[in-house]
Amino acid sequence: MASLGVTALLLAGCVQTGGAASSSSSGSAADATARAQGPTEVQSLTPRAVVSYDGGLLTVDTESGEVVADVPEDGFLRLNDAGDGRHVMVSDGDRFTVFDTGLDAKAHGDHYHYYESAPALTQRSFEAPHAGHVVVHGGKTTLFGDGDGSIQTFTSEALKEKGPLEVEKKKAAAPHHGVALELADGTLFTTKGTEDERHTVQVLAKDGSVAAETTDCPGVHGEAVAAAGATTDTVVVGCENGPVVYRDGAFHKVAVKNAYARSGNLAGSEKSPVVLGDYKTDKDAEHERPTRVALFDTRDESHKLVDLGSSYWFRSLARGPQGEGLVLTYDGKLNVIDQNTGAVTRKIDVIQPWQEKEDWQQPGPAVKVAGGKAYVTDAENKKLHVVDLAAGTVSKTEDLPQTPVELAVTTGKPEAPAPADRAGKGSHQH
């Protein structure tokens, strides 16, 4: 990746003349109303769920079930946390557009002030051919463009500020389906390859030189951050012969028994050294439907396989507030897995039995976690379920006016704050 160049640029509002930001009359109206009224200070915030559907974006108050906004928008809309707890990244082809959910928790000494405003699809966007992965880590957000290998990184909280946004831009030597994230020491963790072949993962120093590298990761896909090691952040990347772990400045291979063992969908928790992943062993299967998941221990590259007795898909995996593994299986149950022992401690009945469709873009259930709650969509029945993880029960079920495809949940507080922001902030209201 010697050809990786680094530039800094300023992105202003990036007003669009067409596409995502301008095609929504409802979104524009909501945006105008929010600007006119301004944010309203409230006593507390209720998480908001953003649901993409064929034709737009719904924003739902998860407590009342009220649809706070319905923003029409064409295309297959993918959703990712933007990192600041207020915004969601919407990728719809060749750009990432910023959606404002209207929740903002502003730190003030040892407490927060809470503000609400109307949700809106904003005029801020990032050009990225074949917009792909979004990674939030350590107070930074990184966007990867599969079509041109573009890597764009900025401070997550800066999305809340008006005016230009300072973005660090880098570019891979060749376009590929990849992922990147900035580590706490300023180095860049990134995959390398082409669309046809990729097996390399690198950590690049600030000057672009290779600080660490592994080439033993065929079909590299997906990443997850785990609890930090002794000297560096810890990151796991999925491969077709067992994952690789970056820890304390070096790559370590997870030894698996199967010659082909793909774990391309990973769910990490920065509270846990263990990463949850899928586990597929049939190289020739067009649609393999495994019943086993894997727990990868980043401290020693060991792993445990857990058979759930029912299959799942890529939107089934999540992590609970204590690092517990969560997997929604075809039988409609949310499996709660002890990250240390691999024991399934609970099976919570959430939705009706379902099965993954042949086309992954067709609607299916999704799982997201915020605080002590898991949010689960039921695409077949157009519902959103709220699961109290401590009680092990569904605490609320909301009807949706549209069939949900993807899901994001915001609380007003950053999803992956910088280390200095993780401590010293109380939660009492003022």
Side-chain angles (χ1 to χ4, degrees):
M1 299 265 277
S3 63
L4 245 130
V6 181
T7 58
L9 76 159
L10 295 179
L11 283 183
C14 296
V15 177
Q16 304 296 329
T17 57
S22 64
S23 63
S24 166
S25 58
S26 296
S28 299
D31 203 4
T33 301
R35 286 195 300 270
Q37 296 179 343
T40 301
E41 186 165 7
V42 294
Q43 185 176 15
S44 61
L45 296 178
T46 298
R48 287 179 173 176
V50 181
V51 174
S52 67
Y53 65 90
D54 184 9
L57 297 165
L58 297 173
T59 304
V60 180
D61 183 301
T62 59
E63 180 62 32
S64 68
E66 176 191 0
V67 176
V68 184
D70 185 352
V71 178
E73 184 57 40
D74 294 331
F76 178 65
L77 308 176
R78 306 213 64 187
L79 306 179
N80 286 280
D81 293 334
D84 65 345
R86 173 174 175 171
H87 295 93
V88 171
M89 283 292 173
V90 182
S91 53
D92 61 344
D94 292 333
R95 81 177 109 196
F96 296 95
T97 302
V98 181
F99 183 83
D100 186 352
T101 68
L103 299 183
D104 192 8
K106 293 182 181 292
H108 184 81
D110 63 348
H111 62 276
Y112 288 89
H113 286 251
Y114 302 105
Y115 300 87
E116 284 185 351
S117 57
L121 194 60
T122 75
Q123 297 295 312
R124 176 170 275 163
S125 66
F126 303 81
E127 298 302 316
H130 299 294
H133 280 274
V134 178
V135 180
V136 295
H137 171 62
K140 296 290 185 71
T141 303
T142 301
L143 315 176
F144 197 97
D146 292 342
D148 62 353
S150 59
I151 300 168
Q152 304 180 66
T153 302
F154 53 88
T155 300
S156 305
E157 286 283 333
L159 285 174
K160 295 181 179 180
E161 301 171 4
K162 296 180 180 180
L165 179 68
E166 186 174 345
V167 180
E168 185 176 41
K169 297 191 78 176
K170 300 183 180 181
K171 197 168 185 178
H176 66 286
H177 183 60
V179 66
L181 68 148
E182 185 174 305
L183 304 181
D185 59 6
T187 57
L188 180 72
F189 182 100
T190 183
T191 57
K192 178 185 176 182
T194 68
E195 191 63 33
D196 297 325
E197 181 182 1
R198 54 189 186 273
H199 50 72
T200 300
V201 190
Q202 297 177 321
V203 174
L204 304 176
K206 294 180 181 180
D207 63 2
S209 61
V210 178
E213 179 181 83
T214 179
T215 59
D216 190 12
C217 190
V220 54
H221 183 276
E223 55 68 43
V225 177
T231 60
T232 67
D233 301 342
T234 300
V235 186
V236 180
V237 174
C239 317
E240 293 177 350
N241 62 348
V244 292
V245 178
Y246 177 72
R247 184 191 70 246
D248 297 331
F251 284 98
H252 309 267
K253 188 68 177 176
V254 176
V256 293
K257 293 181 179 180
N258 304 87
Y260 178 87
R262 185 180 189 274
S263 296
N265 298 287
L266 303 169
S269 166
E270 297 195 19
K271 295 181 178 180
S272 170
V274 177
V275 168
L276 171 69
D278 59 352
Y279 197 80
K280 296 182 177 181
T281 57
D282 187 350
K283 185 177 182 179
D284 299 322
E286 182 177 357
H287 294 289
E288 183 177 356
R289 293 184 167 92
T291 61
R292 294 185 299 176
V293 293
L295 297 171
F296 301 106
D297 194 326
T298 63
R299 293 167 295 190
D300 58 7
E301 298 79 59
S302 64
H303 69 287
K304 294 184 177 72
L305 297 180
V306 182
D307 198 325
L308 302 174
S310 181
S311 192
Y312 55 91
W313 76 326
F314 73 102
R315 292 195 186 105
S316 290
L317 308 180
R319 300 299 290 273
Q322 306 305 318
E324 62 270 40
L326 302 175
V327 185
L328 183 73
T329 43
Y330 282 7
D331 55 11
K333 300 178 186 296
L334 186 65
N335 296 260
V336 182
I337 305 171
D338 186 303
Q339 60 182 315
N340 297 310
T341 66
V344 178
T345 59
R346 264 181 176 156
K347 286 180 175 283
I348 306 170
D349 290 312
V350 181
I351 68 174
Q352 295 296 315
W354 59 280
Q355 184 168 308
E356 178 181 356
K357 297 181 174 65
E358 293 297 310
D359 182 355
W360 68 271
Q361 292 188 343
Q362 292 299 307
V367 183
K368 296 292 180 179
V369 174
K373 305 288 179 60
Y375 299 86
V376 181
T377 56
D378 183 347
E380 294 299 321
N381 297 288
K382 297 198 292 188
K383 295 183 183 298
L384 172 67
H385 301 278
V386 182
V387 181
D388 185 325
L389 293 171
T393 59
V394 175
S395 59
K396 191 174 291 290
T397 295
E398 309 291 358
D399 291 321
L400 299 173
Q402 302 288 347
T403 300
V405 179
E406 294 215 343
L407 170 70
V409 179
T410 62
T411 64
K413 295 181 181 180
E415 292 89 2
D421 297 333
R422 294 174 187 161
K425 300 277 181 66
S427 59
H428 70 272
Q429 297 163 10
H430 176 74

